[in-house]
Amino acid sequence: MAHVKLISYAEILTYPGLLAEYAAECSIPEIGPINPQPQIYAQMEAAGIARCFGVFHAESLIGFACLLTTVYPHYGVKVATLESLFVSNQFRGSNAGTKLMQAVEAYAKEAGCKAILYSAPAKGKLERLLSKRKMGRKTNSVFCFPL
């Protein structure tokens, strides 16, 4: 059975196979290949801006989420933004993703966030999943233009 816990981004980096699977499915070619910056994540974690969560099967990391929380100046309220959310393909349908999302949302609520924003690859599995959830709605589309 899958379980979720708070972890550091540095711990995610110890699972290169999972990161490679994430990169293959979620990378944005216009930005380039993923190039994790552990020092930036560590600084954001120390500042309380970023929190990472891991979902584990036995003792192996099978998925992760990185959440950013900040006050949106235009609204004057704290909002959570999911920087990344991923579960290994072989564990999808096992409830691991649901547990990960529930943990992230519970943390965001406890942190005083008014809402949580998810970004999902266009026409991907996560977009289909999010569109079926009650209580949320699609608010924007994101377009990427190379510079």
Side-chain angles (χ1 to χ4, degrees):
M1 175 164 286
H3 63 281
V4 178
K5 64 181 183 178
L6 274 170
I7 60 173
S8 68
Y9 193 80
E11 189 170 348
I12 295 169
L13 292 176
T14 66
Y15 290 84
L18 186 63
L19 276 175
E21 188 180 351
Y22 166 76
E25 186 173 324
C26 301
S27 289
I28 301 171
E30 295 82 359
I31 298 174
I34 69 166
N35 181 17
Q37 303 295 303
Q39 67 281 9
I40 295 174
Y41 279 101
Q43 289 171 345
M44 293 183 352
E45 288 169 337
I49 297 168
R51 289 290 178 261
C52 295
F53 298 79
V55 61
F56 293 81
H57 177 74
E59 296 306 313
S60 292
L61 185 68
I62 60 169
F64 60 89
C66 295
L67 185 73
L68 306 176
T69 58
T70 187
V71 173
Y72 273 33
H74 188 73
Y75 293 95
V77 298
K78 197 172 190 183
V79 176
T81 303
L82 219 47
E83 189 258 350
S84 56
L85 173 70
F86 185 75
V87 173
S88 178
N89 195 47
Q90 75 182 71
F91 290 96
R92 293 182 190 163
S94 71
N95 210 25
T98 299
K99 286 184 176 185
L100 188 56
M101 291 169 70
Q102 288 171 340
V104 165
E105 290 173 9
Y107 174 85
K109 187 174 184 177
E110 286 178 22
C113 294
K114 181 85 171 174
I116 185 167
L117 301 174
Y118 285 89
S119 176
K123 299 179 184 167
K125 294 174 185 176
L126 181 57
E127 182 182 55
R128 287 191 299 275
L129 173 72
L130 292 171
S131 69
K132 295 176 184 177
R133 289 187 67 196
K134 295 178 184 178
M135 300 294 294
R137 69 181 183 92
K138 185 175 183 178
T139 60
N140 296 44
S141 294
V142 177
F143 296 86
C144 182
F145 294 91
L147 300 175

PDB file of all heavy atoms in Angstrom, residues 107-147:
ATOM      1  N   TYR A 107      -1.945  19.883   2.975  1.00  0.00           N
ATOM      2  CA  TYR A 107      -0.860  20.762   3.394  1.00  0.00           C
ATOM      3  C   TYR A 107      -1.164  22.205   2.977  1.00  0.00           C
ATOM      4  O   TYR A 107      -0.993  23.132   3.766  1.00  0.00           O
ATOM      5  CB  TYR A 107       0.480  20.310   2.798  1.00  0.00           C
ATOM      6  CG  TYR A 107       1.574  21.285   3.111  1.00  0.00           C
ATOM      7  CD1 TYR A 107       2.275  21.208   4.310  1.00  0.00           C
ATOM      8  CD2 TYR A 107       1.872  22.340   2.249  1.00  0.00           C
ATOM      9  CE1 TYR A 107       3.252  22.134   4.629  1.00  0.00           C
ATOM     10  CE2 TYR A 107       2.853  23.273   2.563  1.00  0.00           C
ATOM     11  CZ  TYR A 107       3.535  23.159   3.746  1.00  0.00           C
ATOM     12  OH  TYR A 107       4.487  24.089   4.058  1.00  0.00           O
ATOM     13  N   ALA A 108      -1.583  22.396   1.728  1.00  0.00           N
ATOM     14  CA  ALA A 108      -1.872  23.752   1.232  1.00  0.00           C
ATOM     15  C   ALA A 108      -2.970  24.413   2.063  1.00  0.00           C
ATOM     16  O   ALA A 108      -2.870  25.596   2.402  1.00  0.00           O
ATOM     17  CB  ALA A 108      -2.263  23.699  -0.241  1.00  0.00           C
ATOM     18  N   LYS A 109      -3.983  23.655   2.408  1.00  0.00           N
ATOM     19  CA  LYS A 109      -5.068  24.204   3.230  1.00  0.00           C
ATOM     20  C   LYS A 109      -4.546  24.590   4.610  1.00  0.00           C
ATOM     21  O   LYS A 109      -4.839  25.677   5.106  1.00  0.00           O
ATOM     22  CB  LYS A 109      -6.200  23.184   3.335  1.00  0.00           C
ATOM     23  CG  LYS A 109      -7.425  23.721   4.011  1.00  0.00           C
ATOM     24  CD  LYS A 109      -8.570  22.730   3.959  1.00  0.00           C
ATOM     25  CE  LYS A 109      -9.814  23.338   4.563  1.00  0.00           C
ATOM     26  NZ  LYS A 109     -10.962  22.432   4.470  1.00  0.00           N
ATOM     27  N   GLU A 110      -3.757  23.719   5.238  1.00  0.00           N
ATOM     28  CA  GLU A 110      -3.180  24.009   6.553  1.00  0.00           C
ATOM     29  C   GLU A 110      -2.243  25.212   6.499  1.00  0.00           C
ATOM     30  O   GLU A 110      -2.121  25.951   7.476  1.00  0.00           O
ATOM     31  CB  GLU A 110      -2.407  22.796   7.076  1.00  0.00           C
ATOM     32  CG  GLU A 110      -3.283  21.675   7.548  1.00  0.00           C
ATOM     33  CD  GLU A 110      -2.475  20.465   8.005  1.00  0.00           C
ATOM     34  OE1 GLU A 110      -1.284  20.622   8.357  1.00  0.00           O
ATOM     35  OE2 GLU A 110      -3.048  19.366   7.993  1.00  0.00           O
ATOM     36  N   ALA A 111      -1.592  25.415   5.349  1.00  0.00           N
ATOM     37  CA  ALA A 111      -0.665  26.540   5.181  1.00  0.00           C
ATOM     38  C   ALA A 111      -1.400  27.854   4.926  1.00  0.00           C
ATOM     39  O   ALA A 111      -0.769  28.893   4.761  1.00  0.00           O
ATOM     40  CB  ALA A 111       0.316  26.250   4.052  1.00  0.00           C
ATOM     41  N   GLY A 112      -2.720  27.811   4.866  1.00  0.00           N
ATOM     42  CA  GLY A 112      -3.511  29.020   4.688  1.00  0.00           C
ATOM     43  C   GLY A 112      -3.758  29.420   3.251  1.00  0.00           C
ATOM     44  O   GLY A 112      -4.147  30.566   2.986  1.00  0.00           O
ATOM     45  N   CYS A 113      -3.571  28.484   2.334  1.00  0.00           N
ATOM     46  CA  CYS A 113      -3.796  28.811   0.924  1.00  0.00           C
ATOM     47  C   CYS A 113      -5.290  28.849   0.612  1.00  0.00           C
ATOM     48  O   CYS A 113      -6.067  28.034   1.113  1.00  0.00           O
ATOM     49  CB  CYS A 113      -3.106  27.780   0.025  1.00  0.00           C
ATOM     50  SG  CYS A 113      -1.308  27.830   0.158  1.00  0.00           S
ATOM     51  N   LYS A 114      -5.668  29.790  -0.218  1.00  0.00           N
ATOM     52  CA  LYS A 114      -7.063  29.975  -0.630  1.00  0.00           C
ATOM     53  C   LYS A 114      -7.443  28.990  -1.734  1.00  0.00           C
ATOM     54  O   LYS A 114      -8.597  28.593  -1.855  1.00  0.00           O
ATOM     55  CB  LYS A 114      -7.244  31.418  -1.108  1.00  0.00           C
ATOM     56  CG  LYS A 114      -8.611  31.788  -1.536  1.00  0.00           C
ATOM     57  CD  LYS A 114      -9.445  32.202  -0.369  1.00  0.00           C
ATOM     58  CE  LYS A 114     -10.759  32.782  -0.853  1.00  0.00           C
ATOM     59  NZ  LYS A 114     -11.652  33.060   0.237  1.00  0.00           N
ATOM     60  N   ALA A 115      -6.462  28.597  -2.549  1.00  0.00           N
ATOM     61  CA  ALA A 115      -6.715  27.695  -3.679  1.00  0.00           C
ATOM     62  C   ALA A 115      -5.414  27.006  -4.050  1.00  0.00           C
ATOM     63  O   ALA A 115      -4.336  27.402  -3.607  1.00  0.00           O
ATOM     64  CB  ALA A 115      -7.253  28.482  -4.880  1.00  0.00           C
ATOM     65  N   ILE A 116      -5.543  25.984  -4.870  1.00  0.00           N
ATOM     66  CA  ILE A 116      -4.374  25.297  -5.415  1.00  0.00           C
ATOM     67  C   ILE A 116      -4.507  25.270  -6.929  1.00  0.00           C
ATOM     68  O   ILE A 116      -5.589  25.016  -7.462  1.00  0.00           O
ATOM     69  CB  ILE A 116      -4.216  23.875  -4.832  1.00  0.00           C
ATOM     70  CG1 ILE A 116      -2.918  23.220  -5.308  1.00  0.00           C
ATOM     71  CG2 ILE A 116      -5.417  23.011  -5.145  1.00  0.00           C
ATOM     72  CD1 ILE A 116      -2.547  21.956  -4.543  1.00  0.00           C
ATOM     73  N   LEU A 117      -3.421  25.592  -7.604  1.00  0.00           N
ATOM     74  CA  LEU A 117      -3.391  25.596  -9.063  1.00  0.00           C
ATOM     75  C   LEU A 117      -2.564  24.416  -9.558  1.00  0.00           C
ATOM     76  O   LEU A 117      -1.424  24.240  -9.150  1.00  0.00           O
ATOM     77  CB  LEU A 117      -2.781  26.903  -9.595  1.00  0.00           C
ATOM     78  CG  LEU A 117      -3.490  28.189  -9.188  1.00  0.00           C
ATOM     79  CD1 LEU A 117      -2.690  29.396  -9.655  1.00  0.00           C
ATOM     80  CD2 LEU A 117      -4.899  28.223  -9.764  1.00  0.00           C
ATOM     81  N   TYR A 118      -3.163  23.620 -10.413  1.00  0.00           N
ATOM     82  CA  TYR A 118      -2.478  22.492 -11.040  1.00  0.00           C
ATOM     83  C   TYR A 118      -2.170  22.867 -12.485  1.00  0.00           C
ATOM     84  O   TYR A 118      -2.997  23.470 -13.166  1.00  0.00           O
ATOM     85  CB  TYR A 118      -3.387  21.261 -11.090  1.00  0.00           C
ATOM     86  CG  TYR A 118      -3.586  20.548  -9.783  1.00  0.00           C
ATOM     87  CD1 TYR A 118      -4.619  20.904  -8.916  1.00  0.00           C
ATOM     88  CD2 TYR A 118      -2.777  19.478  -9.432  1.00  0.00           C
ATOM     89  CE1 TYR A 118      -4.822  20.222  -7.729  1.00  0.00           C
ATOM     90  CE2 TYR A 118      -2.975  18.787  -8.240  1.00  0.00           C
ATOM     91  CZ  TYR A 118      -4.005  19.167  -7.401  1.00  0.00           C
ATOM     92  OH  TYR A 118      -4.206  18.491  -6.224  1.00  0.00           O
ATOM     93  N   SER A 119      -1.010  22.475 -12.946  1.00  0.00           N
ATOM     94  CA  SER A 119      -0.652  22.606 -14.353  1.00  0.00           C
ATOM     95  C   SER A 119      -0.474  21.189 -14.876  1.00  0.00           C
ATOM     96  O   SER A 119       0.192  20.369 -14.247  1.00  0.00           O
ATOM     97  CB  SER A 119       0.651  23.399 -14.499  1.00  0.00           C
ATOM     98  OG  SER A 119       1.042  23.444 -15.845  1.00  0.00           O
ATOM     99  N   ALA A 120      -1.076  20.899 -16.018  1.00  0.00           N
ATOM    100  CA  ALA A 120      -1.025  19.541 -16.557  1.00  0.00           C
ATOM    101  C   ALA A 120      -0.659  19.593 -18.037  1.00  0.00           C
ATOM    102  O   ALA A 120      -1.083  20.496 -18.754  1.00  0.00           O
ATOM    103  CB  ALA A 120      -2.385  18.868 -16.387  1.00  0.00           C
ATOM    104  N   PRO A 121       0.150  18.628 -18.499  1.00  0.00           N
ATOM    105  CA  PRO A 121       0.448  18.576 -19.931  1.00  0.00           C
ATOM    106  C   PRO A 121      -0.845  18.504 -20.753  1.00  0.00           C
ATOM    107  O   PRO A 121      -1.766  17.752 -20.408  1.00  0.00           O
ATOM    108  CB  PRO A 121       1.272  17.291 -20.080  1.00  0.00           C
ATOM    109  CG  PRO A 121       1.897  17.095 -18.731  1.00  0.00           C
ATOM    110  CD  PRO A 121       0.852  17.578 -17.749  1.00  0.00           C
ATOM    111  N   ALA A 122      -0.915  19.318 -21.797  1.00  0.00           N
ATOM    112  CA  ALA A 122      -2.107  19.365 -22.649  1.00  0.00           C
ATOM    113  C   ALA A 122      -2.416  17.982 -23.213  1.00  0.00           C
ATOM    114  O   ALA A 122      -1.524  17.285 -23.696  1.00  0.00           O
ATOM    115  CB  ALA A 122      -1.904  20.363 -23.781  1.00  0.00           C
ATOM    116  N   LYS A 123      -3.660  17.588 -23.088  1.00  0.00           N
ATOM    117  CA  LYS A 123      -4.169  16.305 -23.588  1.00  0.00           C
ATOM    118  C   LYS A 123      -3.512  15.105 -22.919  1.00  0.00           C
ATOM    119  O   LYS A 123      -3.561  14.000 -23.429  1.00  0.00           O
ATOM    120  CB  LYS A 123      -4.044  16.224 -25.108  1.00  0.00           C
ATOM    121  CG  LYS A 123      -4.835  17.311 -25.812  1.00  0.00           C
ATOM    122  CD  LYS A 123      -4.688  17.247 -27.314  1.00  0.00           C
ATOM    123  CE  LYS A 123      -5.437  18.417 -27.920  1.00  0.00           C
ATOM    124  NZ  LYS A 123      -5.127  18.637 -29.293  1.00  0.00           N
ATOM    125  N   GLY A 124      -2.919  15.327 -21.755  1.00  0.00           N
ATOM    126  CA  GLY A 124      -2.267  14.241 -21.024  1.00  0.00           C
ATOM    127  C   GLY A 124      -3.191  13.598 -20.012  1.00  0.00           C
ATOM    128  O   GLY A 124      -4.340  14.012 -19.810  1.00  0.00           O
ATOM    129  N   LYS A 125      -2.662  12.589 -19.352  1.00  0.00           N
ATOM    130  CA  LYS A 125      -3.435  11.829 -18.367  1.00  0.00           C
ATOM    131  C   LYS A 125      -3.868  12.691 -17.184  1.00  0.00           C
ATOM    132  O   LYS A 125      -4.990  12.592 -16.702  1.00  0.00           O
ATOM    133  CB  LYS A 125      -2.621  10.631 -17.889  1.00  0.00           C
ATOM    134  CG  LYS A 125      -2.367   9.617 -18.978  1.00  0.00           C
ATOM    135  CD  LYS A 125      -1.444   8.506 -18.517  1.00  0.00           C
ATOM    136  CE  LYS A 125      -1.116   7.583 -19.681  1.00  0.00           C
ATOM    137  NZ  LYS A 125      -0.158   6.542 -19.318  1.00  0.00           N
ATOM    138  N   LEU A 126      -2.962  13.544 -16.710  1.00  0.00           N
ATOM    139  CA  LEU A 126      -3.306  14.390 -15.570  1.00  0.00           C
ATOM    140  C   LEU A 126      -4.405  15.379 -15.933  1.00  0.00           C
ATOM    141  O   LEU A 126      -5.324  15.614 -15.144  1.00  0.00           O
ATOM    142  CB  LEU A 126      -2.076  15.131 -15.037  1.00  0.00           C
ATOM    143  CG  LEU A 126      -2.303  16.033 -13.827  1.00  0.00           C
ATOM    144  CD1 LEU A 126      -2.904  15.264 -12.652  1.00  0.00           C
ATOM    145  CD2 LEU A 126      -1.011  16.722 -13.418  1.00  0.00           C
ATOM    146  N   GLU A 127      -4.353  15.952 -17.130  1.00  0.00           N
ATOM    147  CA  GLU A 127      -5.407  16.877 -17.553  1.00  0.00           C
ATOM    148  C   GLU A 127      -6.755  16.168 -17.566  1.00  0.00           C
ATOM    149  O   GLU A 127      -7.761  16.713 -17.093  1.00  0.00           O
ATOM    150  CB  GLU A 127      -5.096  17.453 -18.933  1.00  0.00           C
ATOM    151  CG  GLU A 127      -6.152  18.467 -19.384  1.00  0.00           C
ATOM    152  CD  GLU A 127      -5.899  19.012 -20.777  1.00  0.00           C
ATOM    153  OE1 GLU A 127      -5.775  18.206 -21.715  1.00  0.00           O
ATOM    154  OE2 GLU A 127      -5.844  20.243 -20.897  1.00  0.00           O
ATOM    155  N   ARG A 128      -6.802  14.944 -18.063  1.00  0.00           N
ATOM    156  CA  ARG A 128      -8.068  14.190 -18.087  1.00  0.00           C
ATOM    157  C   ARG A 128      -8.557  13.915 -16.665  1.00  0.00           C
ATOM    158  O   ARG A 128      -9.744  14.054 -16.371  1.00  0.00           O
ATOM    159  CB  ARG A 128      -7.906  12.889 -18.869  1.00  0.00           C
ATOM    160  CG  ARG A 128      -7.811  13.100 -20.371  1.00  0.00           C
ATOM    161  CD  ARG A 128      -7.921  11.797 -21.157  1.00  0.00           C
ATOM    162  NE  ARG A 128      -6.862  10.850 -20.849  1.00  0.00           N
ATOM    163  CZ  ARG A 128      -5.654  10.844 -21.414  1.00  0.00           C
ATOM    164  NH1 ARG A 128      -5.346  11.745 -22.322  1.00  0.00           N
ATOM    165  NH2 ARG A 128      -4.763   9.928 -21.079  1.00  0.00           N
ATOM    166  N   LEU A 129      -7.634  13.553 -15.780  1.00  0.00           N
ATOM    167  CA  LEU A 129      -8.003  13.277 -14.397  1.00  0.00           C
ATOM    168  C   LEU A 129      -8.550  14.523 -13.711  1.00  0.00           C
ATOM    169  O   LEU A 129      -9.597  14.486 -13.069  1.00  0.00           O
ATOM    170  CB  LEU A 129      -6.793  12.745 -13.624  1.00  0.00           C
ATOM    171  CG  LEU A 129      -6.987  12.571 -12.115  1.00  0.00           C
ATOM    172  CD1 LEU A 129      -7.895  11.386 -11.846  1.00  0.00           C
ATOM    173  CD2 LEU A 129      -5.660  12.406 -11.420  1.00  0.00           C
ATOM    174  N   LEU A 130      -7.856  15.638 -13.858  1.00  0.00           N
ATOM    175  CA  LEU A 130      -8.289  16.875 -13.202  1.00  0.00           C
ATOM    176  C   LEU A 130      -9.641  17.357 -13.727  1.00  0.00           C
ATOM    177  O   LEU A 130     -10.435  17.907 -12.967  1.00  0.00           O
ATOM    178  CB  LEU A 130      -7.231  17.965 -13.372  1.00  0.00           C
ATOM    179  CG  LEU A 130      -5.922  17.724 -12.625  1.00  0.00           C
ATOM    180  CD1 LEU A 130      -4.878  18.759 -13.060  1.00  0.00           C
ATOM    181  CD2 LEU A 130      -6.123  17.746 -11.122  1.00  0.00           C
ATOM    182  N   SER A 131      -9.894  17.148 -15.008  1.00  0.00           N
ATOM    183  CA  SER A 131     -11.167  17.614 -15.584  1.00  0.00           C
ATOM    184  C   SER A 131     -12.358  16.846 -15.029  1.00  0.00           C
ATOM    185  O   SER A 131     -13.495  17.316 -15.104  1.00  0.00           O
ATOM    186  CB  SER A 131     -11.132  17.528 -17.104  1.00  0.00           C
ATOM    187  OG  SER A 131     -11.122  16.175 -17.524  1.00  0.00           O
ATOM    188  N   LYS A 132     -12.123  15.688 -14.439  1.00  0.00           N
ATOM    189  CA  LYS A 132     -13.205  14.873 -13.875  1.00  0.00           C
ATOM    190  C   LYS A 132     -13.473  15.159 -12.408  1.00  0.00           C
ATOM    191  O   LYS A 132     -14.480  14.734 -11.868  1.00  0.00           O
ATOM    192  CB  LYS A 132     -12.870  13.386 -14.036  1.00  0.00           C
ATOM    193  CG  LYS A 132     -12.818  12.926 -15.465  1.00  0.00           C
ATOM    194  CD  LYS A 132     -12.394  11.475 -15.544  1.00  0.00           C
ATOM    195  CE  LYS A 132     -12.250  11.049 -17.001  1.00  0.00           C
ATOM    196  NZ  LYS A 132     -11.775   9.661 -17.092  1.00  0.00           N
ATOM    197  N   ARG A 133     -12.554  15.875 -11.762  1.00  0.00           N
ATOM    198  CA  ARG A 133     -12.705  16.135 -10.336  1.00  0.00           C
ATOM    199  C   ARG A 133     -13.773  17.194 -10.070  1.00  0.00           C
ATOM    200  O   ARG A 133     -13.859  18.188 -10.779  1.00  0.00           O
ATOM    201  CB  ARG A 133     -11.383  16.601  -9.728  1.00  0.00           C
ATOM    202  CG  ARG A 133     -10.366  15.482  -9.649  1.00  0.00           C
ATOM    203  CD  ARG A 133      -9.144  15.885  -8.907  1.00  0.00           C
ATOM    204  NE  ARG A 133      -9.435  16.124  -7.492  1.00  0.00           N
ATOM    205  CZ  ARG A 133      -8.617  16.770  -6.676  1.00  0.00           C
ATOM    206  NH1 ARG A 133      -7.477  17.250  -7.120  1.00  0.00           N
ATOM    207  NH2 ARG A 133      -8.930  16.937  -5.425  1.00  0.00           N
ATOM    208  N   LYS A 134     -14.545  16.974  -9.026  1.00  0.00           N
ATOM    209  CA  LYS A 134     -15.545  17.939  -8.604  1.00  0.00           C
ATOM    210  C   LYS A 134     -14.853  19.052  -7.837  1.00  0.00           C
ATOM    211  O   LYS A 134     -13.757  18.892  -7.338  1.00  0.00           O
ATOM    212  CB  LYS A 134     -16.588  17.272  -7.719  1.00  0.00           C
ATOM    213  CG  LYS A 134     -17.394  16.222  -8.447  1.00  0.00           C
ATOM    214  CD  LYS A 134     -18.366  15.564  -7.525  1.00  0.00           C
ATOM    215  CE  LYS A 134     -19.086  14.456  -8.286  1.00  0.00           C
ATOM    216  NZ  LYS A 134     -20.011  13.746  -7.441  1.00  0.00           N
ATOM    217  N   MET A 135     -15.478  20.171  -7.718  1.00  0.00           N
ATOM    218  CA  MET A 135     -15.034  21.324  -6.941  1.00  0.00           C
ATOM    219  C   MET A 135     -14.014  22.196  -7.664  1.00  0.00           C
ATOM    220  O   MET A 135     -13.787  23.309  -7.260  1.00  0.00           O
ATOM    221  CB  MET A 135     -14.462  20.913  -5.569  1.00  0.00           C
ATOM    222  CG  MET A 135     -15.431  20.174  -4.680  1.00  0.00           C
ATOM    223  SD  MET A 135     -16.820  21.186  -4.147  1.00  0.00           S
ATOM    224  CE  MET A 135     -16.005  22.396  -3.136  1.00  0.00           C
ATOM    225  N   GLY A 136     -13.385  21.709  -8.663  1.00  0.00           N
ATOM    226  CA  GLY A 136     -12.411  22.521  -9.381  1.00  0.00           C
ATOM    227  C   GLY A 136     -12.934  22.872 -10.757  1.00  0.00           C
ATOM    228  O   GLY A 136     -13.951  22.358 -11.203  1.00  0.00           O
ATOM    229  N   ARG A 137     -12.231  23.760 -11.411  1.00  0.00           N
ATOM    230  CA  ARG A 137     -12.596  24.104 -12.779  1.00  0.00           C
ATOM    231  C   ARG A 137     -11.352  24.527 -13.539  1.00  0.00           C
ATOM    232  O   ARG A 137     -10.367  24.984 -12.945  1.00  0.00           O
ATOM    233  CB  ARG A 137     -13.645  25.205 -12.822  1.00  0.00           C
ATOM    234  CG  ARG A 137     -13.154  26.559 -12.369  1.00  0.00           C
ATOM    235  CD  ARG A 137     -14.256  27.622 -12.421  1.00  0.00           C
ATOM    236  NE  ARG A 137     -13.727  28.913 -12.051  1.00  0.00           N
ATOM    237  CZ  ARG A 137     -13.233  29.805 -12.917  1.00  0.00           C
ATOM    238  NH1 ARG A 137     -13.225  29.543 -14.199  1.00  0.00           N
ATOM    239  NH2 ARG A 137     -12.766  30.972 -12.499  1.00  0.00           N
ATOM    240  N   LYS A 138     -11.400  24.361 -14.826  1.00  0.00           N
ATOM    241  CA  LYS A 138     -10.307  24.807 -15.685  1.00  0.00           C
ATOM    242  C   LYS A 138     -10.429  26.323 -15.804  1.00  0.00           C
ATOM    243  O   LYS A 138     -11.455  26.843 -16.221  1.00  0.00           O
ATOM    244  CB  LYS A 138     -10.396  24.145 -17.055  1.00  0.00           C
ATOM    245  CG  LYS A 138      -9.232  24.475 -17.954  1.00  0.00           C
ATOM    246  CD  LYS A 138      -9.310  23.692 -19.254  1.00  0.00           C
ATOM    247  CE  LYS A 138      -8.107  23.980 -20.117  1.00  0.00           C
ATOM    248  NZ  LYS A 138      -8.152  23.201 -21.361  1.00  0.00           N
ATOM    249  N   THR A 139      -9.368  27.016 -15.402  1.00  0.00           N
ATOM    250  CA  THR A 139      -9.424  28.480 -15.400  1.00  0.00           C
ATOM    251  C   THR A 139      -8.618  29.111 -16.523  1.00  0.00           C
ATOM    252  O   THR A 139      -8.950  30.193 -16.980  1.00  0.00           O
ATOM    253  CB  THR A 139      -8.885  29.043 -14.076  1.00  0.00           C
ATOM    254  OG1 THR A 139      -7.527  28.628 -13.916  1.00  0.00           O
ATOM    255  CG2 THR A 139      -9.719  28.575 -12.898  1.00  0.00           C
ATOM    256  N   ASN A 140      -7.551  28.481 -16.945  1.00  0.00           N
ATOM    257  CA  ASN A 140      -6.638  29.062 -17.929  1.00  0.00           C
ATOM    258  C   ASN A 140      -6.059  27.960 -18.796  1.00  0.00           C
ATOM    259  O   ASN A 140      -6.060  26.803 -18.424  1.00  0.00           O
ATOM    260  CB  ASN A 140      -5.466  29.763 -17.240  1.00  0.00           C
ATOM    261  CG  ASN A 140      -5.881  30.938 -16.406  1.00  0.00           C
ATOM    262  OD1 ASN A 140      -6.845  30.886 -15.669  1.00  0.00           O
ATOM    263  ND2 ASN A 140      -5.143  32.016 -16.495  1.00  0.00           N
ATOM    264  N   SER A 141      -5.498  28.365 -19.895  1.00  0.00           N
ATOM    265  CA  SER A 141      -4.643  27.505 -20.701  1.00  0.00           C
ATOM    266  C   SER A 141      -3.274  28.162 -20.723  1.00  0.00           C
ATOM    267  O   SER A 141      -3.157  29.379 -20.753  1.00  0.00           O
ATOM    268  CB  SER A 141      -5.182  27.367 -22.135  1.00  0.00           C
ATOM    269  OG  SER A 141      -6.414  26.687 -22.138  1.00  0.00           O
ATOM    270  N   VAL A 142      -2.244  27.343 -20.710  1.00  0.00           N
ATOM    271  CA  VAL A 142      -0.880  27.857 -20.710  1.00  0.00           C
ATOM    272  C   VAL A 142      -0.273  27.615 -22.085  1.00  0.00           C
ATOM    273  O   VAL A 142      -0.387  26.519 -22.627  1.00  0.00           O
ATOM    274  CB  VAL A 142      -0.028  27.157 -19.628  1.00  0.00           C
ATOM    275  CG1 VAL A 142       1.412  27.635 -19.668  1.00  0.00           C
ATOM    276  CG2 VAL A 142      -0.625  27.381 -18.249  1.00  0.00           C
ATOM    277  N   PHE A 143       0.339  28.645 -22.637  1.00  0.00           N
ATOM    278  CA  PHE A 143       1.001  28.535 -23.937  1.00  0.00           C
ATOM    279  C   PHE A 143       2.476  28.800 -23.738  1.00  0.00           C
ATOM    280  O   PHE A 143       2.856  29.677 -22.974  1.00  0.00           O
ATOM    281  CB  PHE A 143       0.416  29.548 -24.930  1.00  0.00           C
ATOM    282  CG  PHE A 143      -1.035  29.296 -25.237  1.00  0.00           C
ATOM    283  CD1 PHE A 143      -2.024  29.826 -24.413  1.00  0.00           C
ATOM    284  CD2 PHE A 143      -1.401  28.512 -26.315  1.00  0.00           C
ATOM    285  CE1 PHE A 143      -3.353  29.600 -24.691  1.00  0.00           C
ATOM    286  CE2 PHE A 143      -2.735  28.276 -26.589  1.00  0.00           C
ATOM    287  CZ  PHE A 143      -3.721  28.819 -25.770  1.00  0.00           C
ATOM    288  N   CYS A 144       3.309  28.055 -24.418  1.00  0.00           N
ATOM    289  CA  CYS A 144       4.749  28.210 -24.301  1.00  0.00           C
ATOM    290  C   CYS A 144       5.320  28.639 -25.651  1.00  0.00           C
ATOM    291  O   CYS A 144       5.095  27.970 -26.658  1.00  0.00           O
ATOM    292  CB  CYS A 144       5.385  26.898 -23.849  1.00  0.00           C
ATOM    293  SG  CYS A 144       7.165  27.032 -23.622  1.00  0.00           S
ATOM    294  N   PHE A 145       6.028  29.753 -25.658  1.00  0.00           N
ATOM    295  CA  PHE A 145       6.684  30.252 -26.859  1.00  0.00           C
ATOM    296  C   PHE A 145       8.176  30.306 -26.602  1.00  0.00           C
ATOM    297  O   PHE A 145       8.622  30.942 -25.632  1.00  0.00           O
ATOM    298  CB  PHE A 145       6.180  31.661 -27.215  1.00  0.00           C
ATOM    299  CG  PHE A 145       4.736  31.701 -27.618  1.00  0.00           C
ATOM    300  CD1 PHE A 145       3.734  31.927 -26.664  1.00  0.00           C
ATOM    301  CD2 PHE A 145       4.364  31.525 -28.944  1.00  0.00           C
ATOM    302  CE1 PHE A 145       2.420  31.959 -27.040  1.00  0.00           C
ATOM    303  CE2 PHE A 145       3.033  31.561 -29.312  1.00  0.00           C
ATOM    304  CZ  PHE A 145       2.056  31.769 -28.362  1.00  0.00           C
ATOM    305  N   PRO A 146       8.972  29.656 -27.444  1.00  0.00           N
ATOM    306  CA  PRO A 146      10.424  29.747 -27.247  1.00  0.00           C
ATOM    307  C   PRO A 146      10.919  31.161 -27.532  1.00  0.00           C
ATOM    308  O   PRO A 146      10.381  31.859 -28.379  1.00  0.00           O
ATOM    309  CB  PRO A 146      10.985  28.746 -28.257  1.00  0.00           C
ATOM    310  CG  PRO A 146       9.930  28.621 -29.297  1.00  0.00           C
ATOM    311  CD  PRO A 146       8.613  28.881 -28.609  1.00  0.00           C
ATOM    312  N   LEU A 147      11.932  31.564 -26.820  1.00  0.00           N
ATOM    313  CA  LEU A 147      12.519  32.901 -27.011  1.00  0.00           C
ATOM    314  C   LEU A 147      13.954  32.761 -27.495  1.00  0.00           C
ATOM    315  O   LEU A 147      14.618  31.816 -27.252  1.00  0.00           O
ATOM    316  CB  LEU A 147      12.482  33.684 -25.691  1.00  0.00           C
ATOM    317  CG  LEU A 147      11.101  33.896 -25.109  1.00  0.00           C
ATOM    318  CD1 LEU A 147      11.211  34.563 -23.742  1.00  0.00           C
ATOM    319  CD2 LEU A 147      10.264  34.743 -26.042  1.00  0.00           C
TER     320      LEU A 147
END
